[in-house]
Structures are given as structure tokens and as C-alpha cells.
Amino acid sequence: MEAAPDIGDPMSVRALKDITFGSIAGITSKFFEHPFDLTKVRLQSQVLDETARFSGPIDCLRQTFKNEGIRGLYRGLPAPIVGAMAENASLFWAYTELQNLIRRMSETPESQRLSLAQLALAGSGAGSITSFVLTPIELVKCKMQVQMLMAPSGATLPGPLAVLSSVLREGGLRGLWLGHTGTFIRETGGGAAWFASKEGVARLLLQRRHASDKHELHGWESAVSGACAGVAYNVALFPADSVKSTMQTEQELRPRALGEPGPTFVGTLRAMWRAQGLKGLYAGCGITVARAIPSSALIFFIYDGLSKRFSS
């Protein structure tokens, strides 16, 4: 249920719990979902190619495993691990603090639950804050996930630090936030959908057995409500993520001539629409939703479980 803290829980302790529990949940889920995320990025990045490299998600997974082995399926994993820690820690922390702010502004007592609209607002704000942390991490991740597609056979590929250095050298500090518009839109809308869906389903599950306290939520109920949240998050604004991934992998797959202006969100969106229409903007959505169901279920199962275990 709500991530609001117990009455009397000091702010520093509450923040440490949110950051720690969110980090643990994020890291655990990332090991499971990374091959599917890699598949999503590779499908998104081929929308503007004249000839598609992969016919679909299964073909992408098959070719990646055949050509690159198990290491290929986990190409670029270090960046997502750091990203999962940063994303979930900042997301849950900001979500809790924004709930507290909403309570103070609306003069809602601690004993009264916030409405789903208020929780969606808190989730939206948490997502927008998290987007600034996520964009540089996802930039490195996406670049690493498509490197093998253009590299000569047997070539040694740069690691995350080398990719990061290259971005800074070519685009400066500002270059780290290439594609941020897409991340901001996805996280702001997705955060609202993720938390509101989770809270809404969790409340329904509690009501069916006449319970109301968040600590009465069973593990399987946290998982089910989390799974629903994962679907809502990804379906809500998936095209924004597609545009973001295409922008962040353009240099590797479709390099521009020297001096030519870099990609923009609107320009890339138009190009993808002209190339494949709505289908192109939702490339990789199916496998993303499929992996989000167990991944998001796992995140909330762990986060709620730890919150319940260490609530006192």
C-alpha cells in the first residue's frame, strides 16, 4: 500500500529505508529483466533502418544468443545495475516525501489514506525527479546494448566507463542528457500510472478480505498489484521511450555527418512515425510488458516485504 512512513519515524531513518529497500528491489529485478530490456532497445533502434535486423523479439533473443552468447544477452548490465539502484532508491524516496508534502498541504491526517489521485500526483513527481538521474545511465546502457550490431567480428568493445568518457568528450556534460525529454515524459506519466495502479489494486485485494492496513498486505498481493503496475507503467507512454532509445543509439547505428545538427525529440518522433507509424513507436512493447509483469511484481514483493519486516 502507501509508502508513507510510520508516525514518529525520523526523517533520516525513513529516507534510509526507502533508499535501501528500493535499491535492493531494483538490483534484484534487473538481473532477471536485462536480456528482455536489451531486446527492447535493439528492436526500438532498428525502426529507422532501411532493413530490419530482427523480425521480432524472439528472433532478436535467438540471434543475440547465437552470435554473442550469454554474455551478449547481458551486454551493458553494469549501467542498468547502477541505474536500478539510483532509480528505485530515488523513486521510492521521492514518492514518500511527496506524499508527506501533499499531506501537509491538504492537511490530511496520518490516519487517513491519500486518494488515488493524490498518490498519482506523488508518483508523477517522483518519476519526474528520477528522470534526471536515469537519462545519463540509460544513455550508456543503450549505447552498449547496440554496439555489437555494428562492430566487426572479434572486435573489443568499450566498457561503460569508456562509453561515458566518449559521450563527455563529444557532447560535454550536456551530452549525458541526450534523450532526456523522452525519459522525462515516460517517467512522469509512468510514475503516476505505476504507483496509482499498484496502490489501487492493493486496496482492492485488502478490501476483499476486509483489511485496510498496508502492513496486512500478503506477499502474493504485493506481487499481483506490482505486476499490474508494471503493465500500466509501460503501456502508458511507451512511444516516448522508443524515441528516447532511438535518439540515444543514433550515433552507433546511423551516424550523422560532421557538423550536422544532432537528433531532437520531435524530429526523431516524426521520422519514426513516417517510417513505421504507430507500429514503430510501439516496437518492443510486447516483450517489455511481458518482462515488466514479473519484474515489477518482484520489486514490490521485495520492497513491501522489507518495509513490513523493518516497520518498527
Side-chain angles (χ1 to χ4, degrees):
M1 287 295 287
E2 296 179 25
D6 295 331
I7 298 175
D9 194 14
M11 183 179 296
S12 58
V13 175
R14 182 180 68 232
L16 182 61
K17 286 181 179 180
D18 287 325
I19 292 171
T20 302
F21 299 163
S23 296
I24 293 172
I27 292 173
T28 305
S29 69
K30 193 56 64 178
F31 278 101
F32 165 78
E33 69 174 41
H34 188 73
F36 305 101
D37 181 70
L38 178 141
T39 300
K40 178 208 70 171
V41 171
R42 290 189 171 187
L43 291 174
Q44 289 174 328
S45 66
Q46 71 174 10
V47 171
L48 296 181
D49 291 342
E50 293 184 5
T51 303
R53 296 179 179 85
F54 312 107
S55 60
I58 301 301
D59 181 53
C60 182
L61 283 170
R62 182 184 61 79
Q63 287 197 47
T64 299
F65 182 75
K66 177 182 177 182
N67 299 328
E68 305 170 40
I70 191 68
R71 291 183 62 185
L73 292 174
Y74 282 90
R75 179 69 184 160
L77 180 61
I81 289 296
V82 174
M85 292 177 61
E87 176 185 9
N88 287 280
S90 62
L91 194 61
F92 282 106
W93 169 78
Y95 181 56
T96 296
E97 295 308 315
L98 287 171
Q99 284 183 68
N100 294 332
L101 178 61
I102 291 172
R103 286 185 181 278
R104 289 194 295 270
M105 294 184 66
S106 63
E107 298 183 349
T108 303
E110 196 73 37
S111 58
Q112 180 179 330
R113 295 190 305 187
L114 294 177
S115 68
L116 290 182
Q118 289 172 316
L119 294 175
L121 179 61
S124 177
S128 64
I129 292 170
T130 303
S131 71
F132 288 90
V133 178
L134 270 182
T135 300
I137 297 170
E138 291 201 357
L139 176 67
V140 173
K141 178 206 72 171
C142 287
K143 286 181 176 297
M144 293 187 67
Q145 287 177 331
V146 300
Q147 286 175 340
M148 187 65 78
L149 300 180
M150 302 299 289
S153 178
T156 301
L157 300 176
L161 292 180
V163 173
L164 179 62
S165 298
S166 176
V167 171
L168 287 170
R169 186 169 56 252
E170 297 173 9
L173 195 62
R174 184 179 179 181
L176 291 175
W177 277 270
L178 174 66
H180 178 67
T181 299
T183 310
F184 181 83
I185 293 173
R186 182 196 71 194
E187 291 299 313
T188 301
W194 200 52
F195 282 112
S197 298
K198 192 271 177 180
E199 304 289 359
V201 174
R203 288 182 180 183
L204 289 175
L205 291 174
L206 285 172
Q207 288 173 6
R208 63 186 288 273
R209 53 187 178 85
H210 308 292
S212 59
D213 190 282
K214 63 179 180 179
H215 295 310
E216 295 182 82
L217 202 63
H218 295 322
W220 72 267
E221 292 172 325
S222 290
V224 169
S225 56
C228 294
V231 174
Y233 169 87
N234 284 285
V235 172
L237 292 162
F238 191 82
D241 182 68
S242 294
V243 175
K244 185 269 310 177
S245 295
T246 301
M247 292 176 65
Q248 292 181 333
T249 58
E250 182 184 74
Q251 183 178 357
E252 285 70 28
L253 303 180
R254 293 170 298 278
R256 297 187 177 220
L258 187 64
E260 187 177 356
T264 64
F265 182 83
V266 174
T268 304
L269 174 63
R270 288 174 176 170
M272 294 178 72
W273 179 262
R274 287 195 299 267
Q276 295 189 27
L278 196 61
K279 177 184 177 182
L281 292 173
Y282 275 90
C285 184
I287 194 169
T288 301
V289 171
R291 59 96 170 166
I293 292 174
S295 175
S296 189
L298 185 61
I299 287 175
F300 279 108
F301 175 80
I302 294 173
Y303 180 85
D304 285 349
L306 289 172
S307 297
K308 182 178 181 179
R309 173 67 178 81
F310 298 98
S311 60
S312 58

